[in-house]
């Protein structure tokens, strides 16, 4: 029977993939229709901060024991800086780019971070997987510079966001917080960081946008991604470890590409299919979930 801890981690990773893909699609829709990055950021971090306020001020309030550096990296990697990079990039590049570059590069950056932090070596199929990811993203990125396209701006922002999320994953593994505490900590500090930004930039489209758009974003950004998405991903990291939790990213490019084609009529080009054919298997191999197992040679009996 599968270990309960492992099965819970796998279910959390699967839920994180679906929530992450939905967040990417809704974010792309929001910043290209009636809302902008600042309005979405306000809902993405303000609503969860309010929902999780008992963990800040209640009897079960957070008492983090990790170092200030780890806690800062936790917030920077999974909080407001990460969110603003994604939302700004969604203005430039299609949703399929978001799925491929963010989800694809996550195992790559996670492996680099694990090597820098603990000198964990990448060998065998994991190395093959990372090579597939790098080649797939490089070929896909080459198309972003053709014909005067500005997609490359969004692609660079997505890569930077993925790097921050890898930092967040590694920091959570060492912060000593539960998933719910981690979500409250990240969203609470992100909301505080957002206040001075809001005083300068404001959120002018929030009151003028149609209420169905605002309701969709508030539900997906605030409750879906801001609370549930963070919690289930942190659960996956806690039970599977950061490298294996990043396996959930394998589904995201496919789900986002299909969702963008069905909802926003984004074309599924040959370049997209080639990138998916390299990046998705690469994520699976790079996660370490698949390994060669040498068969024991049987000696004939005398």
């Amino acid at each position: 029977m599968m270990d309960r801890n492992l099965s819970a981690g796998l279910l959390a990773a699967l839920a994180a993939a679906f929530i992450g893909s939905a967040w990417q699609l809704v974010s792309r829709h929001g910043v290209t229709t009636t809302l902008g990055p600042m309005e979405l950021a306000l809902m993405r971090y303000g609503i969860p901060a309010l929902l999780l306020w008992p963990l800040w001020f209640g009897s079960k309030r957070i008492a983090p024991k990790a170092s200030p550096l780890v806690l800062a990296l936790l917030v920077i990697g999974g909080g407001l800086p990460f969110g603003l990079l994604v939302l700004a990039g969604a203005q430039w590049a299609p949703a399929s780019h978001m799925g491929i570059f963010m989800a694809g590069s996550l195992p790559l950056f996670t492996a680099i971070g694990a090597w820098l932090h603990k000198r964990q070596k990448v060998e065998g199929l994991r190395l093959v997987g990372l090579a597939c990811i790098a080649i797939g993203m490089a070929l896909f990125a080459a198309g972003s510079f053709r014909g005067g396209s500005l997609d490359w701006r969004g692609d660079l922002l997505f890569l930077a966001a993925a790097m921050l999320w890898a930092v967040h994953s590694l920091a959570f593994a060492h912060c000593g917080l539960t998933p719910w505490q981690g979500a409250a900590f990240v969203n609470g500090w992100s909301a505080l960081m957002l206040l001075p930004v809001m005083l300068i930039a404001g959120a002018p489209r929030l009151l003028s946008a149609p209420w169905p758009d605002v309701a969709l974003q508030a539900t997906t950004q605030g409750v879906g991604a801001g609370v549930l998405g963070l919690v289930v991903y942190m659960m996956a990291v806690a039970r599977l470890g950061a490298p294996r939790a990043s396996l959930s990213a394998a589904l995201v490019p496919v789900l986002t590409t299909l969702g963008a084609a069905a909802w926003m009529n984004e074309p599924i080009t040959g370049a997209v299919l080639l990138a998916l054919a390299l990046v998705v298997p690469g994520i699976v191999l790079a996660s370490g979930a698949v390994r060669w197992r040498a068969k024991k040679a049987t000696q004939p009996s005398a």
Side-chain angles (χ1 to χ4, degrees), residues 62-288:
I62 304 168
K65 299 178 182 179
S67 68
L69 176 60
V70 170
L71 296 175
L73 292 177
L74 184 73
V75 175
I76 293 172
L80 182 62
F82 162 80
L84 288 179
L85 285 175
V86 177
L87 296 173
Q91 293 182 302
W92 295 101
S96 58
H97 288 229
M98 200 185 314
I100 290 172
F101 281 102
M102 285 186 57
S105 60
L106 179 58
L108 188 63
F109 288 128
T110 302
I112 294 173
W115 181 82
L116 291 174
H117 180 59
K118 291 187 175 181
R119 289 296 187 267
Q120 291 183 2
K121 294 182 179 180
V122 179
E123 300 174 331
L125 288 180
R126 289 194 65 197
L127 188 59
V128 174
L130 293 178
C132 288
I133 292 172
I135 293 171
M137 289 194 302
L139 293 175
F140 191 58
S144 298
F145 293 93
R146 296 172 185 168
S149 172
L150 297 178
D151 291 351
W152 62 271
R153 298 184 181 183
D155 297 343
L156 288 178
L157 293 175
F158 295 150
L159 286 173
M163 181 174 63
L164 289 184
W165 190 259
V167 170
H168 166 80
S169 300
L170 295 169
F172 177 72
H174 297 86
C175 71
L177 298 175
T178 68
W180 284 103
Q181 289 175 334
F185 192 84
V186 170
N187 284 305
W189 278 105
S190 295
L192 291 177
M193 293 165 60
L194 187 59
L195 289 178
V197 180
M198 293 298 299
L199 291 176
I200 298 173
R205 301 184 190 178
L206 193 59
L207 297 178
S208 61
W211 72 264
D213 289 359
V214 175
L216 172 65
Q217 295 295 337
T219 303
T220 308
Q221 299 284 343
V223 180
V227 177
L228 298 179
L230 267 181
V231 169
V232 295
Y233 187 77
M234 289 178 180
M235 288 178 62
V237 172
R239 287 163 173 76
L240 303 177
R244 285 192 174 184
S246 65
L247 177 62
S248 64
L251 283 174
V252 176
V254 178
L255 294 173
T256 301
T257 298
L258 295 176
W263 186 22
M264 292 176 278
N265 296 318
E266 288 188 8
I268 302 178
T269 64
V272 171
L273 292 176
L274 176 60
L276 291 176
L278 288 167
V279 170
V280 172
I283 295 173
V284 175
L285 295 177
S287 70

